[in-house]
Amino acid sequence: MIDQDIKKLGFGLMRLPKKKDNSIDIEETSKMVDLFLSRGFKYFDTAYVYPGSEEAIRKALVERHPRNSFYLTSKLHAGAAKSEEEAKNEIYVSLERTGAGYLDYYLLHALMDDNYQQYEDYHLWDYVKELKEKGLIRHYGFSFHGTPKLLDEILSKHPDVEFVQLQLNYADWEDVNVQSRLNYEIARKHHKPIIVMEPVKGGILANPPKEVQELFRAEEPDRSIPSWAIRWIASKPGVMVVLSGMSNYQQMEDNSSYMEHFEGMSEKEEKIVEKATTLLFKDAIPCTACHYCTEGCPMNIPIPEIFSCYNMVKMGVDPEDAKFYYERRIKGKGKASDCLHCGQCEGMCPQHIEIISKLEEISALFD
Ligand code: SF4
Ligand code: SF4
C-alpha cells in the first residue's frame, strides 16, 4: 500500500545547490537532507536524466541515513534511450548511482502526447510490473505533461498504475496548454494519489509581479511568497506530496517550516490566491479558450493555445521556455505567421479580441 499519510512536502532533486566549479555541493545538500528528515519529511525525488542528482543523493542521503527512514523515487525516460534494452537498463544504472538497493517509487518519466507511444512500444508498462515483482521497486506510476484525454486513456488502459505525477499550480490551473485542473480531475476520477510537480511554475510563482507580492505581503507579512503556491496546491484533496526543487538551505528552511504541521489553507487564503491569479493574468490576452474562432480558420491556426503561450511570457516566463510550448502546439497546424488576415476569426470572438494584430505580435516573438 502507498503511504499517503506522509508529510506533504517532497524534496525535488533536480536543482541541487552548486559549488563555484558547477559541481553539486554535497555538504550543503547533506545539511538540507538532515533538516528535511529532522522535521519529519520522507519523500525524495530524483531521475535518471537529472545530471549528477542520483550520485549526489547517494552521498547526501543514502550513505548517511537508515534506508527505512526515507522514500526514494527515480524515473525511467524512454527518450533518453536508443533502444528498448537501453531503456530497461536505466533502473540498474539508477540503483547503482543511488546505492539505494531498491526504489520506493518508480516513474515512467514525462509522458505526453508526442512520446507516449514509445513507452508502449518498449513494453515499459509490463516492465515496471516485473520490477515490482522482483522487489527492485515498491510502487510504480508516471509523470505526465499531456492532455486530459491522453491521461484518461492511459489510466483506463493501465488501471494498475498506483499514482500519477502532475504539473499543478494556480497559474496553470485553467491554462489551455497545461490544463492543470482537468488533469487533476481525471486523476481524481481514477482514484489515483497525486504527486505535484512545478508547484511554483519553475520559479515564476516564487517571484511573481510586484502587485501579486504586495497582495500576499499585505495579508501575511511574515509568510514567504512561494509558500502561497505550495500550500494552495497541497490543500487539494488527493494530493499526496508536493515536490519542491530546492536549491539552497534557506529554501529548505522556509518550505519545511510551514509544511511541517500543515493542515490546509483557510478559505480566506484561498480567496487571496484567486485574486493573485487575476492579477497575474492582468496583461494577458483575455481569451477564454472557447474555440469559436478556430472552427473556420483556413490555416488551422490553434489560436487559443498560441495565446496561452503568449500569456506565459506576460506572466514572466522566459520567452524561450514559452516557445517550447508554442512549437508543440503548432505541430501539424498553422503558426502565427501563417495568418491570412481574412478576419473570419475576429467576427466569432465573444471577447472582441483583435486576433490578427495579436498573432502578428506573437509571430514576431516566436516564429
Ligand atoms: S484571420 Fe488569420 S487566424 Fe483568423 S481565421 Fe483568418 S487566417 Fe485564421
Ligand atoms: S473566440 Fe476569442 S475567446 Fe474564444 S478561443 Fe478564440 S480568441 Fe479565445
Side-chain angles (χ1 to χ4, degrees), residues 230-247:
I230 291 179
R231 290 180 308 119
W232 182 81
I233 196 60
S235 300
K236 298 274 174 211
V239 167
M240 180 175 116
V241 169
V242 178
L243 297 174
S244 176
M246 293 173 265
S247 311

Side-chain angles (χ1 to χ4, degrees), residues 58-281:
R58 184 186 74 242
K59 294 177 192 154
L61 169 71
V62 180
E63 290 175 354
R64 300 176 58 250
H65 291 276
R67 181 65 186 87
N68 62 3
S69 65
F70 58 86
Y71 294 138
L72 185 60
T73 295
S74 193
K75 312 186 188 81
L76 185 164
H77 201 302
K82 288 186 200 76
S83 64
E84 178 174 336
E85 197 191 350
E86 213 178 293
K88 288 181 170 174
N89 194 48
E90 287 181 21
I91 174 92
Y92 295 101
V93 177
S94 293
L95 287 171
E96 199 190 324
R97 287 174 181 165
T98 60
Y102 64 91
L103 295 165
D104 298 277
Y105 296 86
Y106 197 52
L107 286 82
L108 298 182
H109 196 172
L111 269 64
M112 52 188 117
D113 299 60
D114 300 349
N115 68 5
Y116 165 66
Q117 196 52 43
Q118 193 178 5
Y119 287 82
E120 290 286 351
D121 294 347
Y122 283 2
H123 312 102
L124 296 173
W125 300 96
D126 289 335
Y127 185 59
V128 286
K129 266 184 240 173
E130 279 169 37
L131 293 175
K132 186 173 171 174
E133 279 157 21
K134 284 184 186 160
L136 295 178
I137 62 171
R138 295 283 189 262
H139 302 287
Y140 57 86
F142 61 97
S143 64
F144 187 74
H145 293 276
T147 56
K149 184 170 168 283
L150 178 65
L151 182 60
D152 201 22
E153 272 170 36
I154 296 175
L155 291 175
S156 303
K157 196 167 173 193
H158 302 287
D160 48 293
V161 157
E162 296 169 273
F163 62 94
V164 291
Q165 183 164 311
L166 301 173
Q167 176 171 337
L168 306 179
N169 58 64
Y170 65 80
D172 289 328
W173 199 239
E174 299 295 345
D175 180 86
V176 289
N177 285 321
V178 182
Q179 306 190 76
S180 275
R181 178 177 58 78
L182 294 175
N183 280 333
Y184 168 80
E185 287 170 3
I186 298 285
R188 292 291 286 157
K189 184 180 93 174
H190 288 269
H191 309 290
K192 300 299 175 193
I194 298 165
I195 296 168
V196 173
M197 58 184 156
E198 300 290 355
V200 292
K201 200 172 168 55
I204 300 289
L205 303 181
N207 189 22
K210 208 167 120 242
E211 302 94 307
V212 176
Q213 301 205 23
E214 282 168 2
L215 174 73
F216 288 146
R217 291 217 195 285
E219 185 60 25
E220 294 185 54
D222 296 334
R223 275 204 189 282
S224 70
I225 302 298
S227 78
W228 287 86
I230 291 179
R231 290 180 308 119
W232 182 81
I233 196 60
S235 300
K236 298 274 174 211
V239 167
M240 180 175 116
V241 169
V242 178
L243 297 174
S244 176
M246 293 173 265
S247 311
N248 58 51
Y249 189 81
Q250 189 241 323
Q251 287 171 357
M252 173 60 81
E253 166 60 37
D254 179 45
N255 284 343
S256 59
S257 66
Y258 60 77
M259 289 302 287
E260 187 177 2
H261 303 294
F262 179 68
E263 286 186 354
M265 224 178 198
S266 68
E267 246 178 70
K268 189 176 171 221
E269 287 175 318
E270 286 191 352
K271 287 256 170 338
I272 304 274
V273 174
E274 236 174 74
K275 246 195 217 171
T277 311
T278 311
L279 280 176
L280 201 59
F281 284 94

